[in-house]
Amino acid sequence: SQTIHQWPATLVQPVGSPLSLECTVEGTSNPNLYWYRQAAGRGLQLLFYSVGIGQISSEVPQNLSASRPQDRQFILSSKKLLLSDSGFYLCAWSVLGQNQPQHFGDGTRLSIL
Amino acid sequence: GEDVEQSLFLSVREGDSSVINCTYTDSSSTYLYWYKQEPGAGLQLLTYIFSNMDMKQDQRLTVLLNKKDKHLSLRIADTQTGDSAIYFCAETTAHDYKLSFGAGTTVTVRA
């Protein structure tokens, strides 16, 4: 069966510090991978998605970037965090292609001080 | 998710049925999903329905889709305390990879 792992589960970072959140998927090949952010009391906003190694699409302009160095690894990064980057970050995967159900990791709670 | 709207809160007595409603605007929606999020956790896919279906039933869950009115509902029969969570409606369209989410409905089950 397929599993998705995100770490860390929680993170507290000062303003201006760098960020690296990691997500890995097991039990499948060539998945679509996604990064979402969930603000308090709101739905999920898609930040990035990837249909293959090195292929990243950005949905919204922001202070963050994403990379996919391996087929089942998706990394969310920032060089200098802002207060507004606080939130709950969720990684998801789906079978390759459009209109596929997405399956989510347990999320990373990021607090910026 | 301004394209997908849900009521924010629902309170239901244990043992009763819960009905969570969702409206969407994109007529080209192909799949519609219901996800459950428990406190501090990720999203769990509960069920989904293809846009050419009217209804889908899976144990205690019943999804109804009115494509004409662009209205989706999730009915939970015999609601239990473990059903307390935030429920998200989401849609995807034929020409897109992303899911568009509603803001979520917080369901509280009272004894």
Side-chain angles (χ1 to χ4, degrees):
Chain A
S1 64
Q2 301 88 4
T3 57
I4 179 168
H5 304 279
Q6 278 187 249
W7 67 92
T10 59
L11 189 60
V12 181
Q13 292 283 98
V15 170
S17 64
L19 174 74
S20 181
L21 303 181
E22 190 161 344
C23 171
T24 59
V25 180
E26 295 176 0
T28 188
S29 297
N30 304 315
N32 286 351
L33 297 171
Y34 310 83
W35 277 112
Y36 288 86
R37 177 167 55 205
Q38 182 180 23
R42 299 186 64 180
L44 278 70
Q45 179 186 39
L46 179 65
L47 302 176
F48 301 95
Y49 70 89
S50 172
V51 300
I53 296 174
Q55 300 180 61
I56 309 294
S57 295
S58 174
E59 286 291 301
V60 293
Q62 60 203 305
N63 183 41
L64 301 167
S65 62
S67 61
R68 185 170 176 175
Q70 300 180 45
D71 181 44
R72 290 169 290 173
Q73 183 185 28
F74 206 23
I75 297 171
L76 185 68
S77 303
S78 174
K79 292 181 180 178
K80 294 179 75 172
L81 285 166
L82 307 172
L83 282 174
S84 57
D85 292 324
S86 291
F88 192 49
Y89 289 83
L90 289 152
C91 182
W93 74 273
S94 70
V95 171
L96 187 68
Q98 296 173 335
N99 303 309
Q100 301 295 328
Q102 294 179 21
H103 307 276
F104 286 80
D106 289 334
T108 296
R109 177 76 57 193
L110 176 64
S111 300
I112 310 300
L113 303 179
Chain B
E2 62 268 16
D3 297 328
V4 180
E5 294 189 355
Q6 304 176 236
S7 53
L8 292 181
F9 301 100
L10 176 67
S11 178
V12 61
R13 192 185 307 272
E14 188 174 11
D16 288 352
S17 292
S18 309
V19 179
I20 308 166
N21 295 302
C22 171
T23 58
Y24 59 97
T25 59
D26 195 331
S27 58
S28 65
S29 293
T30 51
Y31 284 95
L32 295 122
Y33 304 85
W34 284 105
Y35 284 87
K36 176 184 180 182
Q37 185 179 34
E38 297 185 11
L43 272 68
Q44 174 194 359
L45 177 64
L46 286 178
T47 187
Y48 61 98
I49 189 168
F50 187 50
S51 59
N52 68 352
M53 297 170 64
D54 298 323
M55 186 184 82
K56 181 178 180 181
Q57 186 157 2
D58 183 1
Q59 299 181 338
R60 291 192 297 123
L61 306 178
T62 302
V63 179
L64 294 177
L65 175 60
N66 182 328
K67 196 170 181 180
K68 173 176 171 290
D69 295 337
K70 298 188 181 66
H71 182 265
L72 181 75
S73 68
L74 175 68
R75 178 177 180 269
I76 306 173
D78 187 25
T79 309
Q80 303 298 306
T81 55
D83 296 323
S84 292
I86 303 175
Y87 291 81
F88 290 95
C89 170
E91 64 166 353
T92 188
T93 61
H95 51 79
D96 213 343
Y97 288 95
K98 70 178 183 182
L99 293 178
S100 294
F101 284 86
T105 300
T106 299
V107 174
T108 303
V109 181
R110 60 188 191 277

